[in-house]
Amino acid sequence: MQKVRSKVVLLWCERYNEDLIYEKIKYGIELLGGFKSIFKEGEKILLKPNNLTSATIEEAVTTHPAVFGAACRLVKDNNFEAFYGDSPSRENPVQSLRKNGFTEVANRYNVPLADFEHGKKIVFNDGKVCKSFDIVNAVFDTDAIISLSKMKTHAFTRITGAIKNQFGCVLGFNKGVFHVKYPDASQFSRMLVDLNRYLKPRLFIMDAIVAMEGNGPRSGKPRKVNCILISKDPVALDSVFCRIINLEPAFVATIRYGKQDGLGTFHENEIELLGDPLELFYCKDFDVERKPIVSKTKRSLNIFKKVKVNENHYPRIDETVCIKCGICVDSCPLEKKALSFKNGKNNIPVYDYSLCIRCFCCQENCPQKAIK
Ligand code: SF4
Ligand code: SF4
């Protein structure tokens, strides 16, 4: 018997118009079997956009509020109760969601904010590398998650998409702990797969109308891809994201482990593409590092034999842009910080690369895009 393939819907969309996006995602979900084939009557649905940090819409750091609004409308039109939220690593979620335009949209659809400020520790015995998480209450107060990710590059995990978006369900300040516990990007990625295996979001919608390339996830450049991607399989969705940007999916550890640990598949013959043709969205020159993320213990894997792994992948501060605010220093999750005002607070922070674990939390949080 032929195995059921994971479906990924690709939809051409050039503008952030809420009505247009609503029609697109409504159609896309019909291609997947319809909203009511995914959610059971009476379930409470949590909408989880990417709200990494406060930023302007033009910077393409967060899921666009028009995509969020279209999702709110879709849930409401299907007579389901909706909630929303996200937990940035450094900011207060309530203030940040307001600044990024989500609150205004949610109020318009009468969608209440879920609790992303408190949570509890859970034990996940099935975790491959991580058997315990501090999860926000929003997850326990609802029945199902719709993950609304943004297509972006990421200095640490190569890309951030459907799988990584759920890191926001970990309590705010506890995220840094994971960087210390899993300094290896490969193991960190496998932890993200465990997190998804625990949370089991039902539906993944990716905003790739304007994506981010280059120095992501905070400081890259907006790049028009004109696409909305929808799937029930986050591994398949992220692998199609990779194919659009000309990146080998197996180079991304969340995708590799996602397949290995049973979260989904990235093999082309196991994925059915629906909607508009993939070729329409190709961005072959998309600015992304086309090298694999390899576990320090797995470098002998045949697939990576001929590929040079970049050992000089360290954050650096552009002194012409830095305003010496110190947010990067505060963001460093290490107890003995790898970045400090060694020469005084009126000077540029200084890295100690012998300590740095290359988690890129400093780069992710710099408001000036001064860290490359
Ligand atoms: S966060 Fe950015 S601007 Fe602020 S001190 Fe660090 S590098 Fe400079
Ligand atoms: S200096 Fe930056 S990249 Fe290095 S460990 Fe600290 S936050 Fe992570």
Side-chain angles (χ1 to χ4, degrees):
M1 205 171 69
Q2 208 194 348
K3 213 179 148 205
V4 179
R5 291 185 293 166
S6 288
K7 294 181 168 76
V8 178
V9 180
L10 295 153
L11 300 165
W12 179 266
C13 187
E14 285 176 282
R15 291 178 291 129
Y16 280 115
N17 174 292
E18 199 172 299
D19 292 338
L20 174 68
I21 297 166
Y22 169 79
E23 293 301 332
K24 295 274 179 186
I25 61 173
K26 186 174 170 220
Y27 169 66
I29 291 168
E30 274 162 19
L31 291 178
L32 294 179
F35 198 86
K36 290 185 178 163
S37 72
I38 303 169
F39 303 98
K40 290 192 217 86
E41 211 172 305
E43 284 187 320
K44 293 177 184 165
I45 298 177
L46 177 63
L47 295 165
K48 160 66 182 76
N50 179 328
N51 182 53
L52 178 75
T53 186
S54 299
T56 63
I57 285 176
E58 292 71 32
E59 289 175 282
V61 173
T62 59
T63 306
H64 196 287
V67 176
F68 172 66
C72 288
R73 182 173 157 196
L74 194 83
V75 175
K76 288 288 188 166
D77 280 3
N78 280 281
N79 295 318
F80 283 78
E81 220 179 326
F83 297 81
Y84 80 104
D86 190 14
S87 147
S89 55
R90 291 196 74 257
E91 291 171 87
N92 175 286
V94 180
Q95 289 167 9
S96 167
L97 287 160
R98 184 174 300 117
K99 282 186 198 162
N100 287 333
F102 293 110
T103 311
E104 183 269 322
V105 175
N107 290 346
R108 187 154 38 86
Y109 286 103
N110 204 14
V111 171
L113 179 64
D115 181 6
F116 275 76
E117 292 184 84
H118 310 92
K120 67 177 182 192
K121 189 174 280 303
I122 61 94
V123 173
F124 181 48
N125 286 326
D126 284 344
K128 301 289 180 191
V129 292
C130 187
K131 295 187 184 295
S132 162
F133 293 97
D134 289 307
I135 301 288
V136 292
N137 284 341
V139 168
F140 307 110
D141 296 341
T142 53
D143 303 300
I145 299 172
I146 299 181
S147 175
L148 301 167
S149 59
K150 184 81 172 170
M151 178 187 274
K152 294 191 292 178
T153 48
H154 198 289
F156 186 51
T157 51
R158 203 67 80 232
I159 62 162
T160 168
I163 297 171
K164 193 164 185 308
N165 192 40
Q166 278 58 256
F167 199 41
C169 293
V170 170
L171 256 182
F173 297 118
N174 296 28
K175 293 186 190 69
V177 173
F178 284 96
H179 283 290
V180 178
K181 199 168 166 193
Y182 304 104
D184 181 304
S186 190
Q187 291 305 295
F188 184 86
S189 298
R190 201 169 192 190
M191 174 279 293
L192 290 173
V193 170
D194 279 341
L195 178 63
N196 276 266
R197 289 173 56 241
Y198 171 74
L199 294 172
K200 295 189 175 67
R202 302 260 188 95
L203 183 64
F204 300 85
I205 300 174
M206 180 180 285
D207 168 12
I209 299 172
V210 179
M212 177 184 282
E213 63 179 349
N215 196 24
R218 170 70 181 86
S219 308
K221 288 194 187 126
R223 170 80 185 251
K224 277 209 98 186
V225 178
N226 299 317
C227 188
I228 298 170
L229 298 96
I230 309 176
S231 185
K232 292 191 274 185
D233 177 341
V235 184
L237 193 153
D238 279 348
S239 75
V240 174
F241 162 8
C242 289
R243 287 164 67 190
I244 288 174
I245 65 166
N246 189 25
L247 172 66
E248 167 59 50
F251 284 3
V252 180
T254 44
I255 293 178
R256 208 165 62 240
Y257 284 122
K259 166 73 182 166
Q260 188 176 314
D261 296 345
L263 184 64
T265 184
F266 66 86
H267 295 311
E268 285 183 39
N269 63 355
E270 292 173 357
I271 296 172
E272 182 182 3
L273 295 177
L274 300 166
D276 294 311
L278 179 68
E279 299 73 34
L280 211 56
F281 304 101
Y282 278 155
C283 295
K284 301 225 170 194
D285 62 344
F286 197 91
D287 185 5
V288 61
E289 191 170 356
R290 292 184 175 81
K291 286 174 183 155
I293 288 177
V294 187
S295 167
K296 288 177 182 117
T297 56
K298 297 258 171 92
R299 286 195 179 150
S300 60
L301 281 176
N302 285 342
I303 178 172
F304 302 121
K305 268 188 180 160
K306 292 188 185 120
V307 188
K308 190 177 178 305
V309 177
N310 189 354
E311 297 289 358
N312 297 318
H313 195 57
Y314 282 98
R316 292 175 186 85
I317 295 176
D318 179 343
E319 301 190 3
T320 63
V321 183
C322 176
I323 55 167
K324 304 162 193 165
C325 66
I327 288 175
C328 53
V329 177
D330 292 344
S331 304
C332 183
L334 301 178
E335 203 176 331
K336 186 165 184 218
K337 290 190 185 282
L339 180 61
S340 66
F341 281 110
K342 193 176 155 192
N343 301 325
K345 288 219 165 172
N346 292 328
N347 291 290
I348 307 284
V350 178
Y351 283 101
D352 180 343
Y353 291 124
S354 67
L355 298 175
C356 179
I357 57 172
R358 295 180 283 172
C359 67
F360 294 93
C361 290
C362 51
Q363 178 254 15
E364 185 169 312
N365 287 296
C366 171
Q368 293 298 111
K369 305 184 181 180
I371 304 179
K372 314 285 181 200

